[in-house]
Amino acid sequence: MILSKKNTQNNIKYEIIGVSLMLISIYMYISLFSRSAGIVGEEIRILMTGIFGLGAYIIPLLITILGIALVYKKNEVKLNMKFYSFCTFLFSTLIMLFIRFYNSIKEVEPSWMDVIRNSYVMGAHNPDGVAGGGALGAVFGYAFVKLFGEVGTIALIIGLYTIAVLMFTEVSFVRILQRIKEVLLNLWAKATSRDKETAAAKEMLNVTLNGNKVSDKEESAEEKLQTYDKKIK
């Protein structure tokens, strides 16, 4: 009886935390999309867009998913592969957004701190709207660009996106390649069979046309013979 009551209290605690997280994420979205969320909402918008840039719109989604998981799964919630895939996707997106912003300032050759500061301002105080990957995207993006160059960084990010998809779907990369191979072979087989059917139809058409020509020639020869017979008579 005591153990059952304790479990019920724990379940209620997880549900309260889950609902609170969902309410917080909703308020975050209101703060991001509207200027009528009050002083606290405005400060949240500035802080989130300054740190994450355009990636700020993904953060409330992650919090919502965590809140729903706590409500339904309660103490069974674990940081599984899908959660890490979302984090990898967010990390990669912030760096990609930073690279797009960095292209407009790289001629000046700014320092790392200048880049972080400018990225924060571009996210939080840009009059044209939120831009870039925020200060967090600049921290990692600048390091990646300096270490691997722009092309190398983009190649790495594509690899991270691929890893994120594999982690989320939990499907083997080899299996995906095999599936792609099967699809391509099926398409090739269909295309080949259509070509064969088209060739067969053309051949039948040629045979029919040639047969008609032969029959026309036979009829014309027969008509000539009848005309010649008439003349003799």
Side-chain angles (χ1 to χ4, degrees), residues 108-123:
V108 186
E109 296 184 358
S111 66
W112 196 0
M113 289 306 300
D114 288 336
V115 170
I116 294 171
R117 194 179 300 109
N118 289 335
S119 296
Y120 184 91
V121 172
M122 282 292 291

Side-chain angles (χ1 to χ4, degrees), residues 49-180:
T49 53
I51 294 174
F52 301 104
L54 286 169
Y57 296 98
I58 303 176
I59 302 299
L61 177 61
L62 292 175
I63 296 174
T64 301
I65 293 170
L66 182 59
I68 293 171
L70 285 171
V71 170
Y72 285 97
K73 296 288 185 179
K74 299 178 175 60
N75 60 340
E76 296 178 7
V77 173
K78 294 179 181 179
L79 300 180
N80 57 13
M81 295 286 281
K82 285 184 171 57
F83 176 80
Y84 292 123
S85 70
F86 273 109
C87 293
T88 305
F89 177 83
L90 175 61
F91 176 76
S92 305
T93 302
L94 292 180
I95 295 176
M96 285 296 287
L97 291 170
F98 165 76
I99 290 174
R100 186 178 178 184
F101 161 70
Y102 181 70
N103 287 329
S104 62
I105 62 169
K106 64 181 179 181
E107 288 80 8
V108 186
E109 296 184 358
S111 66
W112 196 0
M113 289 306 300
D114 288 336
V115 170
I116 294 171
R117 194 179 300 109
N118 289 335
S119 296
Y120 184 91
V121 172
M122 282 292 291
H125 304 290
N126 186 12
D128 298 326
V130 183
L136 188 61
V139 169
F140 294 101
Y142 188 83
F144 272 51
V145 169
K146 288 299 178 182
L147 288 171
F148 307 107
E150 286 186 48
V151 177
T153 300
I154 291 171
L156 285 172
I157 296 306
I158 292 171
L160 287 174
Y161 275 129
T162 305
I163 291 170
V165 171
L166 293 175
M167 291 169 66
F168 183 79
T169 58
E170 296 182 3
V171 177
S172 169
F173 186 67
V174 175
R175 190 174 177 183
I176 292 174
L177 291 177
Q178 288 175 344
R179 181 59 181 165
I180 293 171

